[in-house]
Amino acid sequence: MAFYFSNLILQTASDNRKDSIVYFEREPAILVSMSRSDLLYLKEQDFATYPAIYVLIGGNKRYVGQVAGQKIEQRLTQHFQNKANDWVESVLFFGRADGKMSKADTDYLERRLIKDFKEKSSYELTNSTKGNKSYIDKLQKAKSDQLYNIAFEILNDIANIDLFGTEKEENYTYNENHPFKLTFENKVITAKSARKLYTKFAEAIIENPGYEAIIKKMVVEGCPTYSLIFGSEIGNYNGYPNAVRLSNGICLYNNLSRKALREKINTIAQQVGVEYEILKWS
């Protein structure tokens, strides 16, 4: 089936004999999320032949790779046949919707993604090198940067996937590098992302024993969901955790778009009866 969201196409390939391969498209980029068990069905898709940048995902480990001149399903088969990669649970990859990327493009994008993982991520990156380096001219580099940025727009705004994982803890001191900020009960909370602000707000709420008692009544047994955002366990979506543990027995659902994160901040505030003000949301 296919769903259309303005200039974005989301398709899922599934039936009684398949798991799900999720395909997003926003020109000029495509992004695909799949589980390890979907490899057989990946071969049936046109985009299985495209050059791509991919991330192997499992537990706290990640591996960044690229494929050009070879089918992505062939490269993944090689990975999965290697016993050293038994930790891999799922794969995410992106490329151009027209399937046209040169080796210079994939080399550049692989290096950029490896660099971003090393600088921004809390996951264990298993790459032993920084990636290949090829000559790329200014125009080609600009097009590759555009592709990269659009792929991350899909990840963050549509797929709700936090590719780099939990951010490092930040203190409550505001500075200009923290574009998200709110205040309640004489506290000021700042963060580098909307998701982190949402999490830190919830953490600050349960520091108050009275509010914590209210939140505990909202906790459902098992994994939280979009509607019931507090649960007792952390679930996952295609290998990604979809919640964060706030305290023993309280997990907060966080697989949300930026708009939904703001709505859920309001939901939490209303449930416990606190007034708050968002000072910065950018």
Side-chain angles (χ1 to χ4, degrees), residues 155-197:
L155 277 169
N156 296 329
D157 299 337
I158 308 299
N160 301 325
I161 294 174
D162 180 9
L163 187 62
F164 297 130
T166 305
E167 298 170 357
K168 294 180 179 179
E169 288 300 314
E170 305 154 4
N171 59 37
Y172 288 168
T173 303
Y174 176 71
N175 66 61
E176 62 183 5
N177 295 320
H178 290 186
F180 296 87
K181 178 181 180 182
L182 68 75
T183 180
F184 81 101
E185 295 186 343
N186 298 318
K187 293 183 179 180
V188 176
I189 301 175
T190 67
K192 293 181 180 179
S193 71
R195 183 174 285 108
K196 190 62 177 178
L197 187 74

Side-chain angles (χ1 to χ4, degrees), residues 89-101:
E89 299 169 351
S90 61
V91 181
L92 183 145
F93 63 88
F94 67 91
R96 290 188 61 87
D98 59 11
K100 296 178 180 178
M101 281 201 298

Side-chain angles (χ1 to χ4, degrees), residues 3 18 28 33 36 57 78 80 107 113 156 161-162 169 181 190 220 231-232 237:
F3 303 91
K18 299 181 183 180
S33 177
R36 181 174 184 147
I57 300 161
Q78 292 170 352
F80 295 162
D107 280 348
L113 187 53
N156 296 329
I161 294 174
D162 180 9
E169 288 300 314
K181 178 181 180 182
T190 67
V220 297
S232 60
Y237 173 75

Side-chain angles (χ1 to χ4, degrees), residues 223-224 233-237 240-244 252-255:
C223 304
E233 300 175 7
I234 295 177
N236 70 81
Y237 173 75
Y240 298 94
N242 61 11
V244 61
L252 176 70
Y253 187 80
N254 66 355
N255 187 28

Side-chain angles (χ1 to χ4, degrees), residues 9-54:
I9 301 171
L10 163 62
Q11 296 178 320
T12 61
S14 63
D15 58 29
N16 291 334
R17 63 187 178 86
K18 299 181 183 180
D19 288 320
S20 180
I21 296 175
V22 186
Y23 169 97
F24 302 89
E25 180 179 330
R26 174 176 284 170
E27 289 288 352
I30 63 167
L31 185 140
V32 177
S33 177
M34 55 175 278
S35 68
R36 181 174 184 147
S37 60
D38 291 328
L39 182 61
L40 177 64
Y41 308 110
L42 175 63
K43 298 176 183 180
E44 301 173 2
Q45 310 301 322
D46 291 341
F47 50 79
T49 65
Y50 292 0
I53 310 304
Y54 61 87

